[in-house]
Amino acid sequence: MAAAAAASIRERQTVALKRMLNFNVPHVKNSTGEPVWKVLIYDRFGQDIISPLLSVKELRDMGITLHLLLHSDRDPIPDVPAVYFVMPTEENIDRMCQDLRNQLYESYYLNFISAISRSKLEDIANAALAASAVTQVAKVFDQYLNFITLEDDMFVLCNQNKELVSYRAINRPDITDTEMETVMDTIVDSLFCFFVTLGAVPIIRCSRGTAAEMVAVKLDKKLRENLRDARNSLFTGDTLGAGQFSFQRPLLVLVDRNIDLATPLHHTWTYQALVHDVLDFHLNRVNLEESSGVENSPAGARPKRKNKKSYDLTPVDKFWQKHKGSPFPEVAESVQQELESYRAQEDEVKRLKSIMGLEGEDEGAISMLSDNTAKLTSAVSSLPELLEKKRLIDLHTNVATAVLEHIKARKLDVYFEYEEKIMSKTTLDKSLLDIISDPDAGTPEDKMRLFLIYYISAQQAPSEADLEQYKKALTDAGCNLNPLQYIKQWKAFAKMASAPTSYGNTTTKPMGLLSRVMNTGSQFVMEGVKNLVLKQQETDDYRYFDPKMLRGNDSSVPRNKNPFQEAIVFVVGGGNYIEYQNLVDYIKGKQGKHILYGCSELFNATQFIKQLSQLGQK
């Protein structure tokens, strides 16, 4: 999606990492010389940023022979430079100072994921002096890379310590002002890094009276302060010229998770979102348990141990890129087709080999035969490609099979269709109670998700008597009612907050996050999306910030009347692949427009329900 622009956020962050690994000198692709061998020392934050972007092979091509966690036991390697990539925390800095004292490496390139404070910098300087290692500390850099890019057009703020910025953290009733400040500062620090890496100063819009507004105010202030300090501004000079936004500034729309709590609970039907919902999938890696079955073992034998397998679903995987947003039945069909076309090619290679009596020969020997073997040679030279194709087919066969087992066992198709009807206000063909009471339909959590979606989407809350009946059915089905407890409070609060604006117009349906967001960019979206267009007041109610305006006078009146070409939709309080996919589908027909989706954390329904449950505990 964003690839059509000069550089996607994935490319920008990858280039920045490669430059860092190259001792902060731009990395030239085709340099013939051997790379300088070095070790990479990162903390868990650094590991999470690098792993979705650079494979072990790519690290090796950059000269990284070893990559080690900062807090692991590391032996001295005195004749090798070390590149550090860590957060500027107290304990990390202590450990780096210890490395200097122990003279572990030949030289030290210290890169901080987020800006290091003056006082901590002094701690390092003092340690270097004390260890007589000043000359060994080659460079100290702030990298401003404190966010994780998962797709060309999708990023998330953090994976480690994500409970610190979680939906629950922001919405706890007992949160103190200082705690809330810390949460907001953490989010703003990452968003600031994101825009430094993107090389652009956004126009900011946000809904009022929400955590999103607090983020907007703080981010505006931080960008403004950086722009004012012309000498040290991160948004001038060479970084900007190369930016995809050099002429057009992006729109950042900050929305609050609370405007749509139904979507994260929804049973989905597209491949990537399903993998995230039912399997163990994070930072683009899926972990599968493969049961090796007991079928052929003698009676009474212990079942074999389950093998754990993990697969990386990356942009290099063409099948994944093409089908991650497809409905699941299409994916299953495509896997089958790929398999058949692969078999046809494989048979062709075998056939040619046997014609020439070369079954047992290895590829090398075959390619040396010259007579009449052009056909065979071309078949053989495509072998590596064939093997890669086979690897991807096996991978997706395994992943799709694992997903299918969940769909069948839990009747997820039934849930998906029923929830779609609830959310689009279509007439329901069977009663909600029947599904909740059906012992074969889904886990207790599936039932709870369905009921919460019904409860959130209902124009009219169910009567007390009905609610009691539902609660009894849910309890009988083994559900924990805490999430419902929280959603009830949330709904009452939301109703109070929105009462004055919706006065006299009770027919508008509660809109999903996507529909709301799509209109805040003024003409960015208005063309041809009739079903998404909201009442004008809804958009006007979004605050407007332009960090480049000298005076920070907040007004809701957008000065920038041009339609936006680039927008970043960022959800404060957590996001999911369903929304990401909706945005991708939405923008497909809009030429020259790009949307990025970001969120403070990425959760699936299980993780989200857990947070709701904690919030609902008495």
Side-chain angles (χ1 to χ4, degrees), residues 87-105:
M87 287 293 277
T89 61
E90 206 67 62
E91 55 198 338
N92 282 353
I93 288 177
D94 288 351
R95 184 61 189 260
M96 291 160 94
C97 293
Q98 193 183 316
D99 288 357
L100 289 172
R101 282 193 297 275
N102 297 340
Q103 301 181 346
L104 287 193
Y105 308 110

Side-chain angles (χ1 to χ4, degrees), residues 563-584:
F564 284 90
Q565 300 304 317
E566 316 274 352
I568 295 114
V569 175
F570 185 85
V571 193
V572 178
N576 53 70
Y577 282 109
I578 305 177
E579 278 162 358
Y580 164 65
Q581 195 50 53
N582 286 346
L583 279 175
V584 171

